[in-house]
Amino acid sequence: MNTNISKTIILTLAIIGINIYTAKAQQLDPALKDLISKGLDKSHSLTINNLDAEQAKIDQNLAKTVFLPKITFNGSFTRLNDDLTLDGDTQNLLMGTQKLLIKEAIGMPFNSPFPESIPLSEIPNLQDKNILKSSVDLDWVLFSGLEAHNAIKASKHKETSLNYLGYAEKDKIALKIIEAYDKLALVYASKEVINATKAYLSEQEHYVKKAIENGLAIPISLKKIELAQQQLASKELEFNHNRILLIEVLHQLTGEHKEALALLNPKLQSITAISNTATDKRNEIKALEAAEQAALYKSKMEKSHFIPKVALKGHYEFIEEDLSLLDPKWFIGVGIKWQVFDGMQSKLKSQKSKLESQKYRAQREEAEELIAMSIIKAQLEYESSLQNSVIAQKEVELATATYEMINKQYKNNLASINDVIEALTDLEKANFKLQESYFDQRRASTNRLHAKGQLTSFYN
């Protein structure tokens, strides 16, 4: 019976070891994709970045509104200390002129006395002291000297840069969630190894107890098995603590309920292999390219202050009664504004923005070099991880064969219980190492996807 159980345990350990290959052709676990989606929705940094992008879009609309007419309604009441009138000599001159015109109209000689029966018109005030006004003004920029045009371009490239930064941040969040999920999968895989070893030790304990009862073994052998069980229980406790911590990490990253996370049963699945030559431009590079263009257009915008601006101005008075003799009822006109010298401010601001553009270009070139190096490093690590998995698999096969041999020797009294426990421990370590190699292989594969700019397509 013990021999059959041992074979079952070995077969279980072998199945644990090859689980990675059965899942190799699969894509990301749907549960993992769901966690990544929830993590992206929860991310405060992504929310802030999206708000910044929305602000850049509003800046574009603000620049466009420069060309929309501005209509303003005005209303006021003013009381002066007195009416505004002409001086006395001017009024006398106007009254005398009025008499001469009347005499001429009725055919009287100009030097004859003016008839008192004919009324004269009063000289109107230049401005009455009570002034009630209601009017509307129209201001309309017809040409901004390309300032608005360049401002729109700058804001548009800024929005594009922020969007690409958001995509890059999504990749970073996805990497954190995938790593935590894979670590949880490693914990569960290690738990299976522990359970298999625990089952063997339990059966071995039963066998040794029977052997002691029949005088075929000594109590010290049972003590050694109990010690191995305690050591295994310590490992089990450690893995359980790791599971709790990883569930907490996933909860913090995704906002998913801990109860739901505790029900997950992740597996160490290898990501589908990608072409060695296929490489997409990283979002970080695209963001820096857009930021460089935004700074260039900002420089052009500030330089365009010297270009003349053309605007239309209109005014209309609704209340005509209180207008002065010099005030028009309405007017409309076109004007030009040309700032030929502003104390070098526009030039200096333009130079500053141009330097900012050059800074982004230098950052982009540096990032391209670092990414090129990271691609090579990720490729080498991925190849090493594949080789390490093969080596770990061979070590499992060797540990399995060694255990089977020593177990048979023990049944024939050719080996001690210490040899059996040591062989089982070596097999357990080999399986742990194999699972860790699968974890490292998956990490290397994920980092390789990220380095090549292809990670987004795997979690979207």
Side-chain angles (χ1 to χ4, degrees), residues 211-255:
I212 292 174
E213 292 176 0
N214 296 324
L216 300 176
I218 58 177
I220 193 65
S221 298
L222 183 60
K223 293 292 184 181
K224 291 178 179 178
I225 292 176
E226 291 174 351
L227 176 61
Q229 289 174 329
Q230 289 297 321
Q231 292 171 340
L232 197 63
S234 177
K235 291 180 183 178
E236 187 176 16
L237 181 63
E238 180 183 354
F239 283 120
N240 188 53
H241 288 171
N242 289 336
R243 182 183 67 85
I244 294 173
L245 288 175
L246 289 169
I247 288 176
E248 180 63 30
V249 170
L250 286 172
H251 170 68
Q252 293 292 331
L253 289 173
T254 66

Side-chain angles (χ1 to χ4, degrees), residues 64-70 138-145 148 309-313 335:
K64 293 176 182 177
T65 60
V66 170
F67 298 107
L68 296 178
K70 304 338 184 259
L138 170 67
D139 296 281
W140 194 351
V141 176
L142 303 178
F143 179 65
S144 68
K309 281 79 174 170
V310 180
L312 181 145
K313 174 72 175 179

Side-chain angles (χ1 to χ4, degrees), residues 63 66-67 141-151 297-311 335-339 346:
V66 170
F67 298 107
V141 176
L142 303 178
F143 179 65
S144 68
L146 299 178
E147 186 174 348
H149 172 78
N150 289 322
Y297 277 106
K298 183 181 178 183
S299 176
K300 292 179 180 180
M301 177 193 71
E302 289 158 345
K303 188 183 292 185
S304 63
H305 287 327
F306 294 109
I307 301 176
K309 281 79 174 170
V310 180
I336 183 171
K337 181 180 180 181
W338 192 354
Q339 189 178 55
S346 297

Side-chain angles (χ1 to χ4, degrees), residues 6-72:
S6 299
K7 290 181 179 180
T8 302
I9 300 301
I10 295 171
L11 179 61
T12 301
L13 293 173
I15 291 174
I16 293 171
I18 64 174
N19 273 343
I20 184 68
Y21 296 104
T22 62
K24 203 162 191 176
Q26 297 180 15
Q27 298 295 326
L28 285 183
D29 186 348
L32 176 55
K33 281 190 175 183
D34 182 61
L35 289 177
I36 292 174
S37 177
K38 291 179 179 178
L40 298 180
D41 292 337
K42 180 182 181 294
S43 173
H44 299 298
S45 60
L46 272 181
T47 301
I48 294 172
N49 186 84
N50 291 337
L51 292 174
D52 289 338
E54 287 295 323
Q55 286 180 333
K57 186 178 294 185
I58 292 175
D59 288 339
Q60 295 176 50
N61 294 330
L62 284 174
K64 293 176 182 177
T65 60
V66 170
F67 298 107
L68 296 178
K70 304 338 184 259
I71 300 175
T72 306

